[in-house]
Amino acid sequence: MYRDLGALETRVVKEETAAAEAAAQLVPQTKVHPFRNALIDLALQAGCKVRQVEAGTRSVHDFDKSARIRAAIADGQNGALPFRTPYALAIQPVHLTLVGGLGNLESFLAKLSQTNGLVHTQRITLKPDRGDPALVELEMMIEVFDLLPAGASGN
């Protein structure tokens, strides 16, 4: 009986650690501006010029009601979700425009990929800079995520 207690404690610690790590990757609304500032710091460290960083309008999607979420995770059971959850997904877009040499932009993207946040690149565009043909303009629309209680407006 006591042997099982040690295994149970180990399992609980692992689950709590995994939950804490997952929570650390979320970007709640209160951390959107620090995240924005971190993007600016990454760009400057990579030698890029920041033209624009703007947080867009946050949207909240209940798992049971959102067509976007249902399409992403439904398991072929006529659109039925394979689970129930008390959470809603908040999606915060962040629009970013940088200018730099290809090496600088590559360095920025490498640094961004190593951040400890749940960041999804929705769109990325590269085009020659109008002012300097040796530079490239990078436009990105990324999304960061948070979990809210189901039915929350998130505003």
Side-chain angles (χ1 to χ4, degrees):
M1 179 158 133
Y2 291 111
R3 284 181 247 159
D4 293 339
L5 186 58
L8 177 61
E9 286 176 343
T10 301
R11 191 176 89 216
V12 167
V13 167
K14 284 181 182 178
E15 288 174 0
E16 288 175 348
T17 301
E21 288 172 356
Q25 293 184 359
L26 297 174
V27 181
Q29 193 167 18
T30 57
K31 292 187 178 179
V32 170
H33 288 290
F35 176 78
R36 176 190 169 281
N37 292 340
L39 287 175
I40 292 170
D41 289 343
L42 288 177
L44 295 176
Q45 289 170 15
C48 299
K49 294 179 184 176
V50 179
R51 284 216 175 132
Q52 177 186 25
V53 181
E54 181 180 307
T57 303
R58 184 164 102 151
S59 60
V60 178
H61 305 269
D62 281 335
F63 281 90
D64 293 339
K65 299 175 186 164
S66 171
R68 179 178 177 182
I69 292 175
R70 295 176 79 80
I73 61 178
D75 63 356
Q77 300 175 4
N78 296 324
L81 298 178
F83 58 86
R84 303 281 300 161
T85 179
Y87 297 104
L89 181 66
I91 303 172
Q92 175 76 53
V94 179
H95 304 271
L96 173 71
T97 305
L98 305 176
V99 174
L102 279 176
N104 302 102
L105 296 173
E106 182 180 12
S107 175
F108 168 78
L109 292 172
K111 290 175 187 299
L112 179 62
S113 71
Q114 295 171 358
T115 59
N116 186 31
L118 191 54
V119 177
H120 170 72
T121 302
Q122 182 67 23
R123 183 184 70 241
I124 187 167
T125 306
L126 292 171
K127 59 185 175 184
D129 183 52
R130 291 184 217 169
D132 185 346
L135 299 177
V136 178
E137 181 179 272
L138 173 121
E139 288 184 31
M140 289 182 78
M141 201 275 275
I142 59 178
E143 295 174 323
V144 294
F145 304 94
D146 191 17
L147 290 178
L148 304 173
S153 68
N155 295 325

